[in-house]
Amino acid sequence: MFFLSSEEQKKLLRYYLPKARMEGVAEELRGWNWNQAPLSPVYDTTLGVYEVAGAYCDSARDLYLRRVEKIYQPPNEAMLRGKIFHAIVARIIVNTKKLIYLYGVSAHGKIIDELNKIQLTDVINESFQKSIEALTEKEQEEIRKKGNLLLEFERDRIKARLQETLVKQPYIGEDSLAALTVPIVVEHKLDGSFLGLSRHLSTDAFHSGESMIVDLKFGEPRKFHRLTTTGYALVMEAMYEYPVNVGCLVYVSFVNNRILIHRDIHIISDELRQWFIESRDEKARLIEEEIDPGRASACSHTCPYKGHCQ
Ligand code: SF4
């Protein structure tokens, strides 16, 4: 999921990164300037990046109901599916690193055997058993079918990367093998408090090889999805004081028992940064001043709050 194809890598190196350097970013919109306007938070309320970036409800009434009215709803089927699929990808990546350190370079056959043993039920039983039981049989079946496809796909990709690294590097040690096979930190924890965001943020992935924020999506592409990568880029700049210029949204879909992947690589531009900050301020105001924004222009029939808004 997280590894670019050779064409995408070429585009990143020859197009996106030079373009980002050429266009530049307004200094006041770099995360490390969190202590001055427009980045410094106006309100005390802290938000998750998903709350600032999410616009599935375009009036943000879902946010009002959750944060002001304190109405908590269980995730709908699409949300639960997304959480399980994220957990599958994270499991393969983390286990690969663990197995490399545990068995070392010479026992790479054992690493592959152990990777082959990972089952979808391991991921579901660990954190999702109760929530999945609340779904219909058909929905559960669909999640299992797609989850298994995803698991096989990701497992094969990682095994191939492991082999590719091993054939190129005869004297490699386990630390380098782990870093080259999986140059990704999944569910990277970040403190967003400098920017009026939660202290416990978690990005889907940070690609250390490319210095790029990566976010996985299992639904239809939406314009506002780029706000997620923008939010995490701003937080990384605030925390570590180095520029994060590029984001990548990975859209995964399932067609005729196959996985299709589309990667939206984009520059974290001034426009996106401004849009994120405006959305943060608007939403924090809505919570602090307890403003009910009213219904969205078009409500999805799967919105968990539909019972509260009719
Ligand atoms: S039902 Fe409509 S207005 Fe209510 S939270 Fe959902 S999308 Fe928003």
Side-chain angles (χ1 to χ4, degrees):
M1 297 297 139
F2 298 124
F3 309 119
L4 302 183
S5 67
S6 52
E7 293 83 7
E8 287 165 335
Q9 198 135 21
K10 206 182 268 184
K11 258 194 189 167
L12 176 71
L13 295 174
R14 297 278 172 92
Y15 177 72
Y16 290 104
L17 291 176
K19 188 165 186 252
R21 277 195 295 269
M22 213 167 67
E23 285 180 359
V25 167
E27 190 53 24
E28 72 269 19
L29 294 173
R30 284 293 192 188
W32 53 76
N33 282 317
W34 54 269
N35 56 338
Q36 44 188 284
L39 292 194
S40 57
V42 183
Y43 300 96
D44 291 336
T45 296
T46 56
L47 293 155
V49 167
Y50 79 97
E51 290 177 316
V52 178
Y56 294 101
C57 171
D58 64 20
S59 67
R61 188 152 206 260
D62 55 346
L63 180 72
Y64 167 81
L65 292 171
R66 192 172 57 251
R67 296 289 298 269
V68 180
E69 299 283 338
K70 311 283 182 220
I71 300 170
Y72 301 102
Q73 287 298 105
N76 62 25
E77 189 266 339
M79 292 169 174
L80 180 60
R81 189 171 5 113
K83 281 176 187 237
I84 293 174
F85 292 172
H86 275 88
I88 292 169
V89 176
R91 168 65 70 102
I92 292 280
I93 293 203
V94 172
N95 275 31
T96 304
K97 291 182 188 174
K98 276 189 199 164
L99 291 166
I100 292 173
Y101 287 116
L102 186 63
Y103 293 114
V105 177
S106 51
H108 61 275
K110 184 82 180 144
I111 297 172
I112 289 182
D113 287 348
E114 291 296 320
L115 280 174
N116 286 337
K117 286 184 193 161
I118 299 173
Q119 300 285 322
L120 179 64
T121 44
D122 301 339
V123 179
I124 291 182
N125 291 349
E126 202 166 86
S127 321
F128 303 103
Q129 192 53 43
K130 271 219 171 103
S131 348
I132 205 171
E133 279 168 5
L135 302 178
T136 65
E137 280 292 321
K138 197 174 163 217
E139 287 168 338
Q140 290 186 36
E141 184 51 37
E142 191 71 7
I143 289 181
R144 291 208 168 87
K145 203 169 113 193
K146 291 178 177 171
N148 273 319
L149 271 178
L150 189 64
L151 181 64
E152 290 309 324
F153 175 86
E154 201 56 11
R155 183 177 10 230
D156 287 349
R157 291 279 286 151
I158 291 279
K159 284 186 328 196
R161 280 187 69 92
L162 181 74
Q163 304 279 23
E164 272 165 32
T165 312
L166 284 169
V167 294
K168 278 193 270 181
Q169 301 293 346
Y171 310 113
I172 199 164
E174 61 253 28
D175 202 27
S176 181
L177 181 61
L180 291 174
T181 305
V182 204
I184 299 279
V185 182
V186 285
E187 292 167 4
H188 191 35
K189 302 298 175 212
L190 298 170
D191 177 355
S193 54
F194 300 106
L195 292 161
L197 301 169
S198 162
R199 286 196 297 121
H200 308 291
L201 300 174
S202 180
T203 61
D204 278 358
F206 181 68
H207 199 306
S208 48
E210 323 284 8
S211 230
M212 182 170 75
I213 303 284
V214 187
D215 203 61
L216 267 185
K217 300 284 181 201
F218 293 94
E220 288 297 306
R222 303 286 291 268
K223 263 193 171 169
F224 59 81
H225 287 164
R226 287 186 178 188
L227 289 188
T228 306
T229 45
T230 303
Y232 290 125
L234 283 165
V235 173
M236 290 210 68
E237 288 179 349
M239 284 180 71
Y240 303 119
E241 308 222 352
Y242 61 72
V244 181
N245 293 329
V246 179
C248 177
L249 292 161
V250 183
Y251 290 100
V252 183
S253 55
F254 299 84
V255 179
N256 298 332
N257 286 330
R258 276 172 54 206
I259 285 186
L260 297 183
I261 295 177
H262 164 67
R263 292 191 186 85
D264 169 29
I265 301 174
H266 52 273
I267 294 172
I268 311 285
S269 62
D270 284 1
E271 290 73 24
L272 283 174
R273 289 163 189 264
Q274 261 155 356
W275 184 9
F276 183 87
I277 295 304
E278 278 162 24
S279 175
R280 177 202 66 179
D281 293 344
E282 248 171 55
K283 289 181 171 174
R285 178 168 163 261
L286 180 154
I287 295 169
E288 289 236 340
E289 298 180 6
E290 304 192 350
I291 301 165
D292 183 346
R295 289 190 59 167
S297 60
C299 298
S300 158
H301 70 281
T302 59
C303 176
Y305 286 100
K306 66 175 191 278
H308 293 275
C309 295
Q310 274 159 7

